[in-house]
Every structure is written in structure tokens, then in C-alpha cells.
Amino acid sequence: MPSKILIVGACGQIGSELTFALRDIHGEDAVIASDIKSSTSPELASGPFEILDATDYDNFKTVVSKHNIDTVYMMAAMLSGTAEKFPEKGWDLNMTSLFNVLNLGKEKLVNKIFWPSSIAVFGPTTPKVDTPQQTIMEPTTVYGISKQAGERWCAYYYKRYGVDVRSIRYPGLISYKTPPGGGTTDYAIEIFHEALKSSSYTSFLSQETTLPMMYMDDAINATISIMDAPTESIKIRSSYNLAGVSFTPEELYAEVKKHIPDFEMNYKSDFRQDIADSWPNCINDSEAASDWGWKKDFDLEMIVKEMLAGVKSLKEVN
């Protein structure tokens, strides 16, 4: 029986698109999608799907053994905005699921693991401009604390047990294919839907809030690239900085307005403003570039064009 790939959290924003991309590369039967509940997505139904609770080690182990899993992409997580509402649940999901997959690696039941970190590991004391790979990290959110702790556990399991775990710190991610997942950067997705629906949007972040963002295609390419890289190329076993393009809500609004002239933007900050204010403005990802060849393809102008076209196509289908 040939070895296969398992995506945990395949119904989520990243997991769903990662599943499609990996099935295109490896074939539908070679990539097992899984989530805590069944999927209504016809795309995910194109290949094997398993109900999997990532916090249940026995359930996890059973699925891995059943499908002869070699590689796990551990994408299940509670994101920043949602985890602030349910701190203990957020910590439990994010950390227990990580320990479960790391222990599968420790027991040699899987050979390679991807686990995503985030710019949420940084905090208000982190240098905001050109944030370096190694720097001060004092996160102020449950999500960020769990990701910082997770990075240290990944590095520990690699050094102590030889677990081949690889990670990148995602910036804010932008995609039209799945709905926002409760993150602090969700305004950069919602804006496109509202621009086409009502020609107006109220941002929950202030107009001058600069954050590093990335189009989903770049994030998926980076995720697959780091996993395909030779073992000797992966020199950082905590998590690699990853940068896309940094912009403010006002700059995004101006770019959208070029395509929808009557579009209007308002601002009313909520609790996510404090989270955003603790994060960097722009990231230095030179080590990812030098170690395993990371390079982004999408700038702000391209992202806006892709998002407007994509959201419009969804509305036409529905």
C-alpha cells in the first residue's frame, strides 16, 4: 500500500485549498482530507475524507494507520479573534492537536509533519519594521501564545526525537474560495464581498493599521515548497518568517475603488484593533528565501484583481 498524505482541518480556509493543490499534484486518492465534521464541499468529496478530532490521539492514530499516512499537514486551529472569546478552548485545541501529531512523529508512525505558525507569535515589543527571524516574541493573544509555545515544541521534538516537522509563520491570508475563519485580518477578505454586494464596507481595523498580508496561492505554494525541500535545506525547526505584501485598510480601499468607483469605506475599530496593533508592519523573510527558495508572486494590485474576479464568479454561481 503506497504512503499517503493527511490534511487535518481540511474544511478550513487554508486546509481546503491545500487539499485541492496536493490532490492536483499527487492524485485524489493519495491525499486524505479530514476534519471534525463532515464536509459539504464537492471538491473535498472528490477524494477520501475522514471524520477526525485532532485532540483525540487514538482517533488520530487510527486514521494514520488505516491509510498508511506518511505526511501530515496539521491545519486545525482556533484563530486569533475566536480564541480571544474562548481562551481555554483555543489553547486546548491548538496545543493538544500539535502534541498529538508530534507524538505520532516521535513514534515513527508518520515521517514528515507540517504545522503552521503565525505572525501572532510577535508582540508589542517586537520590532515592527522588517521584523527579523530571531527577535523578541511576547505575544498578547491566546492564539499567539499557543503558536509561540508550539514553535518551541516543534524545535524540541526535532532536536530530541528527530521528528521532521516544518513550519512557516503565515501573515494575514486572503482568499475568495472559503469564508473568513475568525482572524484579525479578515477585513481584507470581507471588503471584497461587501464592495460587490453593497458598495460599502465598515472595517474593524483603523485606516492606518499596516499588516503583512498574503494571497492564498502564495501561501499554498510556500507550504508545499517547504515540505518538498530537502531535509538539509531546512535549517530552522521552530518556524520560518514568511512575508507577502504589507498594506493598510486605506491602501486596500484605494485599490478596490479603482475597480468600483462608487465604493465607500468606513472605520469602526473593535477588539481586534488591539491585536493588530501588537503585530509587525512588515516581515523579513530572507532566511526562507535563502534556505528553500521562497518567493512571492502576488502584489497588492494583483491580489485585488484576483479577489474581485473570484468573488464575482462565486456570486454568479450562487
Side-chain angles (χ1 to χ4, degrees), residues 32 37 80 96 101 105 121 126 131 134 154 166 179 193 202 216 224-226 246 258-259 282 294 312 317:
I32 316 302
K37 57 184 179 181
S80 57
T96 303
V101 73
V121 298
T126 301
T131 304
Q134 282 83 28
C154 287
R166 306 174 183 203
H193 291 271
T202 300
M216 184 63 78
I224 295 172
S225 293
I226 192 173
S246 291
K258 292 178 183 178
H259 301 268
C282 57
W294 154 247
K312 191 177 296 185
V317 169

Side-chain angles (χ1 to χ4, degrees), residues 217-235:
D217 286 14
D218 274 339
I220 297 299
N221 288 338
T223 303
I224 295 172
S225 293
I226 192 173
M227 291 297 278
D228 286 346
T231 301
E232 60 272 16
S233 296
I234 309 303
K235 298 179 174 62

Side-chain angles (χ1 to χ4, degrees), residues 57-71:
Y57 183 77
D58 290 336
N59 182 199
F60 212 146
K61 186 175 179 179
T62 297
V63 171
V64 164
S65 299
K66 175 183 176 181
H67 293 280
N68 192 34
I69 299 299
D70 175 80
T71 300

Side-chain angles (χ1 to χ4, degrees), residues 4-10 14-16 18-19 21-23 25-26 30-34 52 54 60 64 69-77 97 101 110 112-116 165-168 170 219-229:
K4 296 182 179 179
I5 296 168
L6 175 66
I7 313 292
V8 182
I14 307 172
S16 58
L18 181 61
T19 302
L22 287 170
R23 282 180 174 169
I25 296 168
H26 299 283
V31 180
I32 316 302
S34 71
L52 194 161
F60 212 146
V64 164
I69 299 299
D70 175 80
T71 300
V72 177
Y73 289 80
M74 179 68 242
M75 311 308 293
S97 60
V101 73
V110 298
K112 194 184 294 187
I113 297 164
F114 177 83
W115 175 81
V165 57
R166 306 174 183 203
S167 178
I168 51 182
Y170 289 126
I220 297 299
N221 288 338
T223 303
I224 295 172
S225 293
I226 192 173
M227 291 297 278
D228 286 346

